[in-house]
DNA sequence: TAGCATACGGAGGCAGCCTCCGATTCGCAA
DNA sequence: TTGCGAATCGGAGGCTGCCTCCGTATGCTA
């Protein structure tokens, strides 16, 4: 146990240069992921941000941690979108529209769908909390639609999350450019989702 | 132009040691892919087969080429299964059953679904001919089911191939062990396919 | 402005890819 | 059988990218 100098004094705040470097890494990483996909070379990101590779690893110990920081806001947005849609008068439409957002988001970077799927499977992943929150929000949306009798009762939120991401993955693997993959994902998702409604 | 000694004499057949090495590499690769997935280290495969890495690359210039050789028979089997099913009296059931085979096959090795999708997208891939044949066979099965009015007319064979593989991919990404991913793929595929029938 | 905790940077070791070319082996022809 | 040329082999070596470790530099507080 390292004795703290004062138990309730918060640890000294981050040094100014450290905060600056962290921010530059973040914005640089965002660009690099967009350009190379989620397996963009980390050394390239450090170089572009004008810091050493050691600095990158100190701020973000794993690629997943960096990705989590880059995605944080977007995942939060998906979460609150789901919460808002709980008030939508058409439960099934609300659910399916939200799933479209999820799938579209997952086509943003090449490799992202895989990372998002890992985020729910592996509880130790830095993405796990954010992905878990998204999944939970989706579950409420689903439950409401199922209670209304509009969606098959045997589908789980995990199924839907998985399907949305897998469709996004397929779109990104199939399309040459990233601009094509969005529409393709939407099209495949529509086909997939048709089977979920009750008849 | 290198002048051939005799225009219609086939070039001298492969030397005995070369043929032997090629075969050993093939069976070794099969095991390695099963163990490590499609990105198994090639040097490991060469080592296990008891040949130098140079020999591996001479026989199979790319990883895709090796994969193609390993998959050849299985893909051919999927093709002929489709042809046989053309005689099945229930067109939609025949199609959906075949898609289940396709998806199950794609869960065989980790990373395989991605390779199979690439095989139809990239015409230069060594997998392209085999994958193309599978896709064509599936298209006939689909056309028959659509003519019978049992499957939505706006679905393409490429859609179905893509969906089957993406579901297989999701199953392999989601499951810890490979033995779980088969059933999960089947379950997700069922959900997906429900929407394809006409009502 | 001195001293210390914090943060930086990049050298270096590792794994895997792929190429290239000197060494080896096969198999035909005499 | 033997000799020879063509076919084949093997792995060293150069490259990219990952990640760790530790000597050095710098911001912050007193």
């Amino acid at each position: 146990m390292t004795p703290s100098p004062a138990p309730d004094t918060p640890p000294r705040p981050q040094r100014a240069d450290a905060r600056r470097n962290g921010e530059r890494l973040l914005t640089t990483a965002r660009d690099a992921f967009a350009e190379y996909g989620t397996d963009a070379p980390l050394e390239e990101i450090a170089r572009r941000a004008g810091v050493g590779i050691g600095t990158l690893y100190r701020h973000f110990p794993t690629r997943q941690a960096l990705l989590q920081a880059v995605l944080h806001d977007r995942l939060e947005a998906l979460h609150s979108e789901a919460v808002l849609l709980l008030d939508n008068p058409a439960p099934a439409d609300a659910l399916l529209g939200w799933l479209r957002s999820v799938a579209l988001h997952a086509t943003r970077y090449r490799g992202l769908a895989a990372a998002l799927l890992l985020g729910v499977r592996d509880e130790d992943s830095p993405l796990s909390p954010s992905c878990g929150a998204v999944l939970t929000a989706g579950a409420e949306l689903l439950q409401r639609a199922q209670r209304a009798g509009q969606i098959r009762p045997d589908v789980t939120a995990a199924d839907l999350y998985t399907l949305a991401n897998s469709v996004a993955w397929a779109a990104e693997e199939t399309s040459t450019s990233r601009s094509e993959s969005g529409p393709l994902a939407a099209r495949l998702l529509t086909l997939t989702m048709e089977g979920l409604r009750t008849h």
Side-chain angles (χ1 to χ4, degrees), chain A residues 4-195:
Chain A
S4 313
D8 26 33
T9 298
R12 189 181 299 188
Q14 208 177 28
R15 237 167 66 176
D17 54 345
R19 192 179 39 70
R20 219 172 26 237
N21 284 333
E23 281 165 7
R24 298 191 56 183
L25 280 168
L26 212 50
T27 59
T28 309
R30 209 185 306 277
D31 295 348
F33 286 151
E35 189 169 344
Y36 298 104
T38 57
D39 51 358
L42 296 181
E43 321 227 53
E44 167 84 0
I45 295 177
R47 207 181 49 69
R48 284 201 205 176
V51 303
I53 184 65
T55 298
L56 184 150
Y57 275 98
R58 193 167 329 96
H59 284 265
F60 305 101
T62 66
R63 182 183 296 276
Q64 291 282 310
L66 179 53
L67 195 54
Q68 130 69 23
V70 164
L71 294 178
H72 180 265
D73 291 356
R74 285 271 154 191
L75 289 176
E76 197 136 289
L78 280 179
H79 179 265
S80 36
E81 183 184 342
V83 172
L84 281 177
L85 281 168
L86 279 173
D87 290 332
N88 187 296
D93 291 343
L95 173 66
L96 299 186
W98 180 76
L99 283 172
R100 193 152 290 140
S101 295
V102 172
L104 195 64
H105 167 253
T107 62
R108 178 167 274 258
Y109 312 130
R110 205 173 47 71
L112 180 51
L116 293 172
L117 227 43
L118 189 76
V120 296
R121 184 188 71 184
D122 175 13
E123 294 184 359
D124 295 334
S125 162
L127 282 168
S128 181
S130 303
C131 289
V134 168
L135 189 60
T136 306
E140 290 190 43
L141 223 39
L142 168 62
Q143 198 175 46
R144 195 173 67 113
Q146 284 174 324
R147 283 219 188 94
Q150 296 178 357
I151 294 289
R152 309 169 43 144
D154 61 339
V155 185
T156 70
D159 287 338
L160 297 185
Y161 183 87
T162 302
L163 285 175
N165 280 294
S166 78
V167 151
W169 170 82
E172 98 197 357
E173 291 290 311
T174 304
S175 311
T176 318
S177 73
R178 216 161 53 65
S179 57
E180 297 170 29
S181 71
L184 179 56
R187 176 176 150 65
L188 290 177
L189 194 68
T190 302
L191 281 180
T192 303
M193 296 303 156
E194 284 298 316

